[in-house]
């Protein structure tokens, strides 16, 4: 019995490579005859290219007829092969889950998805919807904003944490979403308001304040190296209508940088039920005192556990300006709420 090497040599002699065989059989024309000591002439490039095409065709046809045997481990288990296009590229090369175009684009802030969306902004909205419920109600003589203020632990001092904050003497805001992001926007809002006051010697109008904050949030949706703010804001204020009379204003600012004026609205995890409740109870003749009670009733709709003056916050803005209600005042409102 012939050895593997002898069998390979016999196969090579019986089936020579087409390119080598063509080179061996080709003879130079008589006109190109050279002295004996000169190297043998090489096949012209045009003929050599034609032979290469024939060889490639022969090779491809041979590969089509070959049935690829599945690779096996030492224990005899078959190893599955995945197309390279469907292998997730990353640090973990053992992760062979298929990756879709949506997954590859979802980590880019400045790249639109095939459906025309910036997916990171939608993720920011998800962060808002996972936050505590906040709401605002505009009345004929003021605006009330309210929110849940649940502590992560009973050991936390609730007096050091506030979600209803003051921006100017005539404006305040509340947020739903990521607390650190709201703190940055609060500082920016206060600086913008102070800058306006130094120039015009009056408080910045609520609409202009909202436009500036929305501009900051929108800027963080179109630059690389940053991420959108994971908060939505409710900004309440009193603006001069030009006749010396102040009118209430309520705005909502979203992570995309868009903003809207509202009569009453809600944000956070229970915003759908809260908006439905507000639609049923809101009327344009609502007084500020009644708006406070409606705000508490709306929070109670989806509130988990016992509502006390320590786990909710309320702020009101009227002709006297903006202020956050003290826990004792909130307790009185809770006791009088049906």
């Amino acid at each position: 019995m012939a050895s593997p090497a002898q069998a390979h040599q016999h196969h090579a002699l019986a089936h020579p490579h087409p390119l080598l065989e063509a080179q061996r059989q080709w003879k130079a024309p008589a006109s190109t005859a050279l002295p004996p000591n000169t190297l043998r002439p090489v096949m012209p490039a045009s003929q050599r290219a034609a032979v290469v095409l024939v060889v490639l065709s022969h090779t491809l046809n041979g590969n089509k007829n070959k049935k690829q045997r599945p690779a096996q481990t030492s224990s005899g288990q078959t190893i599955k092969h995945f197309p390279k296009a469907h292998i997730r590229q990353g640090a973990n090369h053992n992760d062979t889950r298929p990756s879709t175009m949506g997954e590859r684009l979802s980590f880019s802030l400045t790249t639109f998805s095939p459906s025309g969306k910036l997916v990171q902004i939608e993720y920011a909205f998800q962060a808002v919807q996972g936050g505590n419920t906040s709401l605002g109600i505009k009345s004929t003589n003021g605006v009330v904003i309210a929110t849940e203020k649940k502590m992560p632990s009973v050991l936390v001092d609730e007096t050091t944490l506030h979600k209803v904050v003051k921006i100017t003497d005539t404006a305040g805001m509340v947020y739903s979403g990521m607390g650190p992001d709201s703190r940055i926007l609060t500082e920016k809002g206060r600086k913008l308001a102070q800058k306006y006051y130094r120039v015009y010697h009056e408080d910045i109008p609520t609409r202009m304040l909202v436009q500036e904050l929305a501009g900051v949030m929108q800027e963080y949706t179109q630059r690389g190296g940053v991420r959108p703010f994971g908060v939505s804001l409710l900004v309440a204020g009193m603006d001069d209508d030009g006749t010396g009379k102040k009118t209430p204003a309520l705005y909502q600012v979203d992570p995309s940088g868009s903003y809207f004026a509202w009569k009453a609205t809600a944000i956070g995890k229970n915003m759908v039920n809260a908006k439905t409740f507000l639609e049923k109870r809101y009327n344009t003749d609502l007084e500020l005192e009644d708006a406070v009670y409606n705000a508490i009733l709306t929070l109670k709709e989806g509130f988990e556990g016992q509502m006390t003056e320590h786990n909710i916050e309320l702020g009101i803005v009227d002709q006297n300006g903006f202020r956050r209600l003290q826990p004792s005042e909130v307790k009185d409102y809770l006791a009088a709420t049906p």
Side-chain angles (χ1 to χ4, degrees):
M1 184 176 180
S3 64
Q6 293 174 343
H8 178 73
Q9 183 179 6
H10 176 72
H11 178 79
L13 294 174
H15 304 281
H17 195 279
L19 182 60
L20 297 178
E21 184 64 19
Q23 178 72 23
R24 188 182 300 112
Q25 293 180 2
W26 180 82
K27 294 181 180 181
S31 60
T32 59
L34 297 174
N37 294 333
T38 307
L39 294 176
R40 186 172 183 270
V42 183
M43 182 186 296
S46 59
Q47 297 184 22
R48 191 163 62 249
V51 173
V52 169
L53 292 177
V54 174
V55 173
L56 290 176
S57 176
H58 172 76
T59 305
L60 292 175
N61 291 334
N63 289 339
K64 285 183 180 179
N65 298 328
K66 288 182 181 180
K67 185 176 181 181
Q68 184 178 4
R69 296 177 58 187
Q72 293 183 345
T73 62
S74 58
S75 60
Q77 297 179 349
T78 301
I79 301 176
K80 295 183 179 180
H81 295 275
F82 294 93
K84 291 184 179 180
H86 296 286
I87 300 300
R88 186 186 302 272
Q89 300 297 326
N92 184 7
H93 300 288
N94 296 325
D95 189 358
T96 56
R97 294 172 295 168
S99 63
T100 63
M101 181 176 292
E103 290 178 343
R104 292 198 296 273
L105 296 177
S106 62
F107 294 101
S108 175
L109 174 61
T110 57
T111 304
F112 283 94
S113 69
S115 59
K117 299 178 180 179
L118 292 174
V119 186
Q120 283 295 311
I121 295 180
E122 296 198 359
Y123 293 163
F125 276 100
Q126 293 295 328
V128 174
Q129 294 177 9
N132 292 330
T133 306
S134 302
L135 59 94
I137 303 175
K138 184 172 71 172
S139 65
T140 57
N141 57 339
V143 182
V144 57
I145 52 178
T147 184
E148 299 177 1
K149 191 182 75 169
K150 295 184 178 179
M151 299 294 104
S153 171
V154 295
L155 301 178
V156 176
D157 184 2
E158 68 275 0
T159 62
T160 62
L161 201 73
H162 298 291
K163 294 185 65 178
V164 175
V165 294
K166 182 179 180 179
I167 304 297
T168 68
D169 291 337
T170 59
M173 76 178 190
V174 66
Y175 74 91
S176 284
M178 302 179 65
D181 288 9
S182 72
R183 187 170 63 247
I184 299 298
L185 291 171
T186 299
E187 293 300 323
K188 286 183 177 292
R190 288 172 176 169
K191 289 181 179 180
L192 291 168
Q194 185 64 24
K195 183 178 179 180
Y196 183 93
Y197 186 85
R198 291 181 63 184
V199 176
Y200 300 102
H201 302 285
E202 63 180 17
D203 289 329
I204 185 172
T206 307
R207 181 180 180 84
M208 189 172 294
L209 174 63
V210 168
Q211 286 177 338
E212 294 290 343
L213 289 174
V216 173
M217 297 176 76
Q218 194 278 334
E219 185 180 353
Y220 278 70
T221 67
Q222 63 179 13
R223 292 193 294 114
V226 298
R227 63 163 176 82
F229 285 94
V231 291
S232 283
L233 308 176
L234 293 180
V235 183
M238 297 290 290
D239 292 336
D240 193 341
D241 61 357
T243 62
K245 181 180 178 182
K246 293 186 177 180
T247 58
L250 174 65
Y251 291 89
Q252 175 180 335
V253 190
D254 290 329
S256 62
S258 58
Y259 63 93
F260 307 94
W262 291 83
K263 299 176 182 177
T265 187
I267 54 178
K269 61 183 177 182
N270 196 40
M271 67 175 186
V272 176
N273 294 334
K275 284 185 177 181
T276 303
F277 186 83
L278 289 171
E279 289 173 359
K280 296 177 180 179
R281 298 184 63 92
Y282 182 81
N283 64 80
T284 56
D285 298 328
L286 199 66
E287 295 289 335
L288 182 58
E289 199 74 8
D290 296 329
V292 174
Y293 290 115
N294 280 335
I296 294 175
L297 289 173
T298 305
L299 284 179
K300 281 186 175 181
E301 282 295 301
F303 196 85
E304 298 177 359
Q306 180 68 28
M307 182 180 289
T308 67
E309 67 274 16
H310 300 298
N311 53 24
I312 65 169
E313 267 191 344
L314 288 92
I316 60 172
V317 57
D318 54 16
Q319 299 293 332
N320 299 320
F322 178 85
R323 67 186 183 93
R324 182 175 56 243
L325 298 185
Q326 297 298 319
S328 58
E329 297 177 277
V330 176
K331 184 177 181 180
D332 294 337
Y333 277 113
L334 286 173
T337 302

